[in-house]
Amino acid sequence: MTVPLSDADTADRTDSASAHATDTGTAAALLAALRRDLPDGTLGTGPEATGPYATDRSGSRPAGLPLAVVHATHTEHVQTALRHAHVLRVPVVPRGAGTGLSGGASAGADSVVLDLSRMNRVLELSPEEQIAVVEPGVITADLDRAAGEFGLRYAPDPASAAISTVGGNIATNAGGLRCAKYGVTRDAVLGLDALLADGTSIRTGRRTVKGVTGYDLTGLLTGSEGTLGVITAATVRLRPVPEETVTVAAYFATFAEGAEAVSALTAARIEPAMAELLDGPVLGAVDDAQGTDLRSRGGALLLLQCDGRGAAAEADAAVRQLRGRADSVEVTEDPAEADRLLAARRLALPSLERLGRPLIEDIAVPRNQLAAAVREIDAAADRHGVRIFTFAHAADGNLHPILVLDPALPAVPDAAWRAAGDIFTAALRLGGTLTGEHGVGTLKRRWLGDELGPDQHALQRRLKAAFDPHGILNPGKAL
Amino acid sequence: MTVPLSDADTADRTDSASAHATDTGTAAALLAALRRDLPDGTLGTGPEATGPYATDRSGSRPAGLPLAVVHATHTEHVQTALRHAHVLRVPVVPRGAGTGLSGGASAGADSVVLDLSRMNRVLELSPEEQIAVVEPGVITADLDRAAGEFGLRYAPDPASAAISTVGGNIATNAGGLRCAKYGVTRDAVLGLDALLADGTSIRTGRRTVKGVTGYDLTGLLTGSEGTLGVITAATVRLRPVPEETVTVAAYFATFAEGAEAVSALTAARIEPAMAELLDGPVLGAVDDAQGTDLRSRGGALLLLQCDGRGAAAEADAAVRQLRGRADSVEVTEDPAEADRLLAARRLALPSLERLGRPLIEDIAVPRNQLAAAVREIDAAADRHGVRIFTFAHAADGNLHPILVLDPALPAVPDAAWRAAGDIFTAALRLGGTLTGEHGVGTLKRRWLGDELGPDQHALQRRLKAAFDPHGILNPGKAL
């Protein structure tokens, strides 16, 4: 599902992928120090070892290959790598499972990758306190499953939960499908153990739900894309699995009508746990790939879940709003039937991958601007001759316009970048943001200043310097 | 309800209430510039004008009186004051309603108070987007009331909501009674307009529920107690008023048994919107003041609210857990009857004020450590011969031990400080924090390093310098 970007393309998109140019002597000194101080099996060097760590799921590939990969299994390994890299001023790229979509974990020549995926122990899980303490490499779905044994869950649910790590989710402040009701990753993180660029260890936050001692470094590290510190453990909040869940599927003539229906739910003060809205082209792609007939049923599909002890009453209220607006409405409390209804959403991306190479975008707009955003997306597609398929986490205004590109092309064509640029500009104009949940990485840095403004951008760089004065942590990303 | 601290006492508690010593010439230059550039009626000078702004509700009073008070009604006034103060290196103390309990808004000699209470307009309230944009001086309950006209509410509910401002709530990241279910102030703040120390204007965050562009400065400013920037507008999230609310009152023989009952609710995966636990001495104080007979009914009172469409079912589940543990359980869906049950909580502080001068503490511990925390509080009271009354936001482990002092004493006696110190130390030992929702201000700075550790403390000072290189914003507070 990745889109290979040529070196030239990447160079064009990132103004300084690395502020550093590690010379041969420095590289040799670093490798010697790491070989000396890390246990056997922890250090990987050479193209075979480092090649798989040069890019993430965005496919964005900087020039060259990393110097080395440190497969840390203990905090001490991370600290050793940071200390040496800091002294020698070598860029360090922290990495979870590499499932990011913005190039945040891509690693070019002269950098060292800190692979944290093997630090994957659940250190503690307390049903009494409703918290867990985990290493960064724990797969998000594994944490959720472990919590499930006690009737609890880890609420953040990025679509990548089965393959992404908690540490990676924290680095990007990952969203998901039920954020409007249950919050994003940041809302579930109570405290962090982190190493600063020079290997200094800090423990931010706490085990309690409330706490206001000092500045909120937990929140600041969350979403900082590995540029402020390296997370070595996280204390996260768990919440009860809802007692009941009711699933609703409704077809509409157009995406705009589906978006208006979601606005009507908001106006009726219904708080769905999930509200996924798929446009007609996505339904058509699923039909082509899966042999279904979704597109014939409408031009947009809204998949809704209400949960909690009041789920049935809330779903009833939702259905009252949807009737008259929707072409058809189905409701179920049966998990198997719910799975069947949700299949269209689950199969959307795999179906699009059969049509070409998807470039997954990620804007968010005020929730009453959903229909306007899709009009802008469609206009950008027409203007630049690009195929765009859109689905949205509609309850929180987060849209994923997916550009499907010709796989024969060696790089992302300029028309696609221009369409993406138009979409980001429209998102900002509508009062939104250029990334709702995937992060800036390398791919969106050229638009960052448009959202932050020059003064805030400068302030954020000063913050970065307060954490990482030599700029060794994931340079060229996020900011 | 304030405890006057003598100058000597304050000097002892704050290692450097101000890093600045404004000389006479500088003070004159600043006053001249402010007189020249601010509109009539905006500037207050002299003891009568500045005296009321020297302290907050903590009663902590630094030496001397502020140079001036700027009663800002527009952002430009704030910017003018900051620009001049920054050039002349004069400390600036931002202030909302002055209801803080930690000395965060106390202002001593040679400082300028920025009174933001007159910037109190609701600039926008969008039921479609479920957001409001407000100036910092809006009274929290007024915002909630304005939202209520659309069936919405501002979820954070500090006990001071009727008298405190949204800006002050944001500065302290205020908590409240329903945080375990609905989050603290930070969770409701989407974006901020803020001025940096030199008057530079930035706009952080966004209008959308999700967004991960750049570092989370919204979260960082929230809870920074006026030391990083001055908030001039806030975009906050509104949420639906719950469809139903059920109130439960249960008496227990001891506070420990009440705490165990709350743990049993947690284990049963019940998420109350409110769970207030009052100890026997508090019940006795209410009885003495109000002529009630609460204390005869038990040694602790738990007041519980479940809300939402599943409120009745959840309250039923709660009552099943409470029966057998509690001496008595009452349940009501009637608002008037609920008010009657909640009167004990509402009247707790006024009743304690009749017994002496309350010094309100504010620790938080992991929610299964509530009973242990109260044992530590009682032991500290015995050890130091101090009267302490405790109530707790039990669902999130936030306790308010209230030291009631002899009003005839000129300052907080050492025994009270030693008892408070023992309580803070116990909170940290139990995995908690020395302030759950009131902030560090001046009064808790001596214990701050114990919670943060030296490396994180140093990092937080570097962050402060990145925002405010000359340290003019609320020096001697929070950090």
Side-chain angles (χ1 to χ4, degrees):
Chain A
M1 67 169 287
T2 57
V3 182
L5 309 186
S6 72
D7 292 355
D9 187 73
T10 305
D12 182 47
R13 305 296 156 195
T14 65
D15 43 304
S16 62
S18 161
H20 304 261
T22 310
D23 63 37
T24 316
T26 304
L30 180 73
L31 291 177
L34 294 178
R35 274 196 199 99
R36 186 189 64 218
D37 292 342
L38 289 172
D40 284 351
T42 313
L43 186 68
T45 58
E48 272 191 41
T50 63
Y53 296 89
T55 186
D56 60 15
R57 222 167 147 90
S58 73
S60 159
R61 184 178 288 276
L65 286 179
L67 277 176
V69 183
V70 175
H71 302 288
T73 54
H74 290 88
T75 297
E76 293 67 35
H77 307 156
V78 182
Q79 196 163 39
T80 297
L82 284 170
R83 282 177 177 159
H84 289 305
H86 190 256
V87 168
L88 294 166
R89 312 285 190 258
V90 175
V92 172
V93 180
R95 181 187 179 92
T99 59
L101 293 165
S102 305
S106 66
D110 304 329
S111 65
V112 171
V113 174
L114 262 180
D115 166 25
L116 300 160
S117 65
R118 300 182 192 178
M119 287 180 67
N120 58 1
R121 289 170 296 179
V122 174
L123 301 174
E124 183 188 346
L125 201 158
S126 164
E128 293 79 23
E129 292 187 48
Q130 297 192 341
I131 63 170
V133 183
V134 299
E135 290 187 326
V138 167
I139 296 292
T140 307
D142 289 347
L143 167 60
D144 192 50
R145 221 170 351 252
E149 291 180 27
F150 302 96
L152 300 173
R153 71 178 182 186
Y154 176 63
D157 64 334
S160 62
I163 53 172
S164 62
T165 64
V166 175
N169 292 173
I170 294 171
T172 54
N173 189 15
L177 277 59
R178 52 195 182 211
C179 300
K181 184 165 180 182
Y182 293 104
V184 294
T185 296
R186 189 194 72 166
D187 300 301
V189 180
L190 298 174
L192 294 172
D193 288 357
L195 296 175
L196 302 182
D198 64 358
T200 300
S201 170
I202 62 169
R203 171 165 289 184
T204 74
R206 49 199 67 82
R207 294 169 73 95
T208 55
V209 174
K210 276 176 178 168
V212 292
T213 305
Y215 300 140
D216 180 10
L217 299 195
T218 307
L220 191 63
L221 286 165
T222 303
S224 67
E225 302 189 27
T227 64
L228 298 182
V230 181
I231 296 160
T232 56
T235 302
V236 299
R237 187 175 177 186
L238 305 175
R239 298 188 74 158
V241 175
E243 298 278 319
E244 296 164 38
T245 299
V246 180
T247 303
V248 179
Y251 284 89
F252 297 87
T254 64
F255 187 94
E257 286 172 49
E260 279 157 25
V262 174
S263 289
L265 296 177
T266 300
R269 294 177 283 129
I270 289 159
E271 281 197 305
M274 189 191 88
E276 297 292 298
L277 186 57
L278 285 62
D279 76 357
V282 169
L283 299 180
V286 173
D287 285 344
D288 289 346
Q290 318 292 338
T292 47
D293 65 341
L294 309 175
R295 182 69 187 82
S296 70
R297 303 187 60 191
L301 169 60
L302 176 65
L303 295 164
L304 207 69
Q305 286 194 322
C306 296
D307 67 11
R309 286 185 174 82
E314 190 164 28
D316 279 352
V319 168
R320 279 196 298 278
Q321 293 297 326
L322 297 176
R323 292 222 196 274
R325 297 174 182 277
D327 293 342
S328 67
V329 182
E330 288 173 81
V331 187
T332 185
E333 299 186 28
D334 176 60
E337 179 63 10
D339 263 2
R340 193 189 62 75
L341 293 175
L342 297 177
R345 171 65 182 86
R346 196 171 55 246
L347 296 170
L349 204 52
S351 301
L352 292 174
E353 285 172 338
R354 294 172 50 134
L355 298 179
R357 292 192 171 126
L359 181 66
I360 303 172
E361 287 309 340
D362 165 46
I363 59 169
V365 296
R367 53 183 116 194
N368 63 341
Q369 298 296 328
L370 263 187
V374 162
R375 274 195 301 274
E376 297 277 2
I377 292 165
D378 291 345
D382 288 348
R383 195 156 45 238
H384 301 289
V386 180
R387 285 193 299 174
I388 308 185
F389 302 74
T390 300
F391 53 84
H393 311 309
D396 53 26
N398 186 196
L399 296 113
H400 294 305
I402 299 172
L403 286 70
V404 176
L405 309 176
D406 179 351
L409 293 173
V412 175
D414 274 345
W417 283 119
R418 283 196 298 269
D422 285 0
I423 291 170
F424 300 149
T425 305
L428 296 180
R429 196 173 54 243
L430 293 170
T433 176
L434 59 95
T435 173
E437 55 181 12
H438 292 169
V440 171
T442 56
L443 297 183
K444 293 191 175 179
R445 286 180 73 221
R446 59 152 65 176
W447 293 279
L448 183 72
D450 298 341
E451 182 164 340
L452 297 184
D455 290 325
Q456 187 181 177
H457 202 172
L459 173 60
Q460 297 215 350
R461 288 182 196 275
R462 295 200 298 276
L463 278 190
K464 160 75 174 173
F467 275 84
D468 177 18
H470 301 304
I472 69 159
L473 281 177
N474 218 6
K477 316 290 176 61
L479 261 204
Chain B
M1 68 170 285
T2 57
V3 181
L5 310 186
S6 72
D7 292 356
D9 187 72
T10 305
D12 182 48
R13 305 298 155 194
T14 65
D15 43 303
S16 62
S18 162
H20 303 261
T22 309
D23 62 38
T24 316
T26 304
L30 180 73
L31 291 178
L34 294 178
R35 274 197 198 100
R36 186 189 65 218
D37 292 343
L38 290 172
D40 283 351
T42 313
L43 187 67
T45 57
E48 272 190 41
T50 62
Y53 297 89
T55 186
D56 60 15
R57 223 167 147 90
S58 74
S60 159
R61 185 178 287 276
L65 286 179
L67 277 176
V69 184
V70 175
H71 301 287
T73 54
H74 291 87
T75 298
E76 292 67 36
H77 307 156
V78 182
Q79 197 163 36
T80 297
L82 284 170
R83 282 177 177 158
H84 289 306
H86 190 255
V87 168
L88 293 166
R89 312 284 190 260
V90 175
V92 172
V93 181
R95 180 187 180 93
T99 59
L101 294 165
S102 305
S106 66
D110 304 329
S111 64
V112 171
V113 174
L114 263 180
D115 166 25
L116 300 160
S117 64
R118 300 182 192 178
M119 288 180 66
N120 58 1
R121 290 170 297 179
V122 175
L123 302 174
E124 183 188 345
L125 201 158
S126 165
E128 294 79 24
E129 292 187 48
Q130 298 192 340
I131 63 170
V133 183
V134 299
E135 290 187 325
V138 168
I139 297 290
T140 307
D142 289 346
L143 167 60
D144 192 49
R145 221 169 351 251
E149 291 179 27
F150 302 96
L152 300 173
R153 72 177 183 186
Y154 176 64
D157 64 334
S160 63
I163 52 172
S164 62
T165 64
V166 175
N169 293 173
I170 294 171
T172 53
N173 189 15
L177 277 61
R178 52 197 183 211
C179 300
K181 185 166 180 182
Y182 292 104
V184 293
T185 297
R186 189 194 74 166
D187 300 301
V189 180
L190 298 173
L192 295 172
D193 288 357
L195 296 176
L196 303 182
D198 64 358
T200 300
S201 169
I202 61 170
R203 172 165 287 183
T204 73
R206 48 199 68 80
R207 293 170 72 95
T208 55
V209 174
K210 277 176 177 169
V212 293
T213 305
Y215 300 140
D216 181 10
L217 299 195
T218 307
L220 190 63
L221 286 166
T222 304
S224 66
E225 301 189 28
T227 64
L228 298 182
V230 181
I231 295 161
T232 56
T235 302
V236 300
R237 187 174 178 187
L238 305 174
R239 300 188 73 157
V241 174
E243 299 278 319
E244 297 164 38
T245 300
V246 181
T247 303
V248 180
Y251 284 88
F252 298 86
T254 64
F255 188 95
E257 285 172 50
E260 280 157 25
V262 174
S263 289
L265 296 177
T266 301
R269 294 177 284 129
I270 289 159
E271 281 197 304
M274 189 192 89
E276 297 292 297
L277 187 57
L278 285 64
D279 76 357
V282 169
L283 298 180
V286 173
D287 286 343
D288 289 345
Q290 318 291 338
T292 48
D293 65 339
L294 309 175
R295 183 68 187 83
S296 70
R297 303 186 59 190
L301 168 60
L302 175 65
L303 295 165
L304 208 69
Q305 285 194 322
C306 296
D307 68 10
R309 287 185 174 80
E314 191 163 27
D316 278 353
V319 168
R320 279 196 298 278
Q321 293 296 325
L322 297 176
R323 294 222 194 274
R325 297 175 183 277
D327 293 342
S328 66
V329 182
E330 288 173 81
V331 187
T332 186
E333 299 187 28
D334 176 60
E337 179 64 11
D339 263 1
R340 193 189 62 75
L341 294 175
L342 298 177
R345 172 65 182 82
R346 195 171 57 247
L347 296 170
L349 204 52
S351 302
L352 291 174
E353 285 171 340
R354 293 172 51 133
L355 298 180
R357 292 193 170 125
L359 181 66
I360 303 171
E361 287 309 340
D362 163 47
I363 58 169
V365 296
R367 53 183 118 195
N368 63 341
Q369 297 296 328
L370 263 187
V374 162
R375 273 195 301 275
E376 297 276 2
I377 291 166
D378 291 347
D382 288 348
R383 195 156 47 237
H384 301 289
V386 180
R387 286 192 299 174
I388 308 185
F389 302 74
T390 299
F391 54 84
H393 311 308
D396 52 26
N398 185 195
L399 297 113
H400 293 306
I402 299 173
L403 287 69
V404 175
L405 308 176
D406 179 351
L409 292 173
V412 175
D414 275 346
W417 284 118
R418 283 197 297 269
D422 284 2
I423 291 170
F424 300 149
T425 305
L428 296 179
R429 195 173 55 242
L430 292 170
T433 176
L434 59 95
T435 173
E437 56 182 9
H438 292 170
V440 170
T442 55
L443 297 182
K444 293 190 175 179
R445 286 180 73 221
R446 58 152 64 176
W447 293 278
L448 183 72
D450 298 342
E451 182 164 340
L452 297 183
D455 290 325
Q456 187 182 178
H457 202 174
L459 173 60
Q460 297 215 351
R461 287 182 196 274
R462 295 200 299 276
L463 278 189
K464 159 75 173 173
F467 275 83
D468 176 18
H470 301 304
I472 69 158
L473 282 178
N474 217 7
K477 316 290 175 62
L479 262 203

